[in-house]
Amino acid sequence: MTTVIKNASQLLTLTGKNLGIVENGSVIINDGKISTIIQNSKFKIQNSKTIDAHNCVVMPGFIDCHTHLVFAGTRENEFSMRLEGKTYKQILKSGGGILQTVRATRQASERELFKLAQSRLDQLIKWGTTTVEIKSGYGLDTANELKILRVIKKLQKANQNRITIISTFMAAHAVPPDITKPNYIKKIIKEMIPKVAHAKLAQFCDVFCENFVFNATDSKKILLTAKKFGLIPKLHADEIESSGGAEIAGQVKAISAEHLLYPSDKGLKAMKKNNVIAVLLPGTTMFLKSKQIPPIDKMRKLGLTIALGSDYNPGTCMIYQMPIIIALGCLLYNLSLTEAIRGATINSAKALGLDKNIGTIQKGKDADLIILDVPDFRHIPYQFGKNLVKTVIKKGKVVYSVPAK
Ligand code: NIG
Ligand code: FE
């Protein structure tokens, strides 16, 4: 089966170090994979299906390498508390925050969680996301963490031709109220990790590494165990305070360290030395009204690879729209538009270990592509909040197109 996408005003291939723009380009897709990129649109291929881009931008689908998309309940109360001056840490310490979502998620059945998450995924697809990572972490006991991971597995199966879903085990998200921290860590290490690995319910293991949650020593212990069981480490590092998370990311050779508002210089160097991807989440910075931003200049100087994710979750970021995250990367974090678009595509693929298959428009990669209803990519941040996605193509097949006017 051959499909041809023609008449792209700009084809953002993302090959090389920049956006790799091909003007008036075409893409030939064979059996769901990209086979050829052509610098014009005046050709014919027998027995092929044509998708006319009508002089619009064609680019790789967005890759969101960081979400907490399976949850029940909402936290608008916490949003108002923050407007009144309460901090994230105060809210969590008083039994709210993550623990509020844990209560609602524990009460929800697998079916309910599936339905809630499925409708969120449908929205993500409409906004051009073709691959998404989802973390557990609102169960915080063996039964409920496994329940969330099973929901993710069902979502994977139900959506396999629409959106790729990657699963991350994150029981180390907070300490639940009914157990001490040392005992909870023991439970994660002795009981949960082996079960998750045995049932192949996750590919990655993440930890909320903060002095007031799981400190650097706790995080290292959990991640090294996860690694022994074949789960690849990731960390929420130095988000709220400087807690040694970036250093640990280097020491355990994590694939990525995320947030990074307060990493130490030593930590950043350790990340560079061990090829740890820096995943930045500007939506959360905005939601938490943080004045701090990651040390972008230092990251650039060191040559760290910068990826962007949404961090979609009910507490600290209800934004799942990757074009908005790209805009916030530019406006809040001072990223260039090239850095932000690379961050939401090829570099986000790297943070999930998927860069061989997705993230650029290149021969042999999956034809996960989107068509935007604009002639120039600079509209992405400029038309802030407007959904410019016209067509979403997953492995060569159209999975969403804007209904005709
Ligand atoms: O990435 N920091 C920990 N996890 C999420 C927040 C989750 C929550 O507050 O529910 C984050 O910000
Ligand atoms: Fe997060």
Side-chain angles (χ1 to χ4, degrees), residues 13-20 338 342 346-347 350 360-362:
T13 65
L14 291 154
T15 48
K17 283 198 161 42
N18 297 310
L19 296 176
T338 297
R342 290 184 69 83
I346 181 61
N347 291 350
K350 286 183 185 163
T360 60
I361 303 183
Q362 233 172 330

Side-chain angles (χ1 to χ4, degrees), residues 49 71 80 106 149 166 170 185 237 268 319 344 371 402:
K49 183 184 158 202
F71 61 86
S80 322
R106 282 181 176 179
L149 292 173
I166 305 296
M170 195 181 177
I185 295 175
L268 290 176
I319 304 166
I371 306 176
V402 169

Side-chain angles (χ1 to χ4, degrees), residues 3 9 11 74 105 111 116 176 187-188 222 225 232 243 251 262 273 302 319-320 364 375:
T3 303
S9 56
L11 206 60
T74 53
T105 306
R111 236 182 112 107
L116 285 166
K187 210 169 197 103
I188 293 177
I222 295 166
T225 308
I232 301 164
S243 306
Q251 284 172 28
Y262 303 90
K273 197 169 150 218
L302 280 168
I319 304 166
Y320 55 79

Side-chain angles (χ1 to χ4, degrees), residues 88-115:
Y88 184 77
K89 189 169 152 182
Q90 284 166 342
I91 295 166
L92 180 61
K93 284 207 149 170
S94 64
I98 293 175
L99 297 174
Q100 183 178 333
T101 303
V102 169
R103 289 189 287 275
T105 306
R106 282 181 176 179
Q107 270 174 26
S109 68
E110 236 171 279
R111 236 182 112 107
E112 283 162 345
L113 285 174
F114 178 90
K115 258 182 92 177

Side-chain angles (χ1 to χ4, degrees), residues 26 51 83 98 110 113 165 170 179 186 195 205 207 226 231 256 280 283 286 306 314 322 348 350 364 373 386 395 401:
S26 304
I51 298 173
L83 295 183
I98 293 175
E110 236 171 279
L113 285 174
I165 298 170
M170 195 181 177
I179 185 170
K186 247 186 233 155
K195 282 198 173 160
C205 179
V207 171
L231 299 172
S256 61
L280 306 185
M286 186 177 76
I306 295 175
M322 287 304 282
S348 198
K350 286 183 185 163
D373 199 8
K386 181 165 184 215
K395 294 188 181 158
S401 56

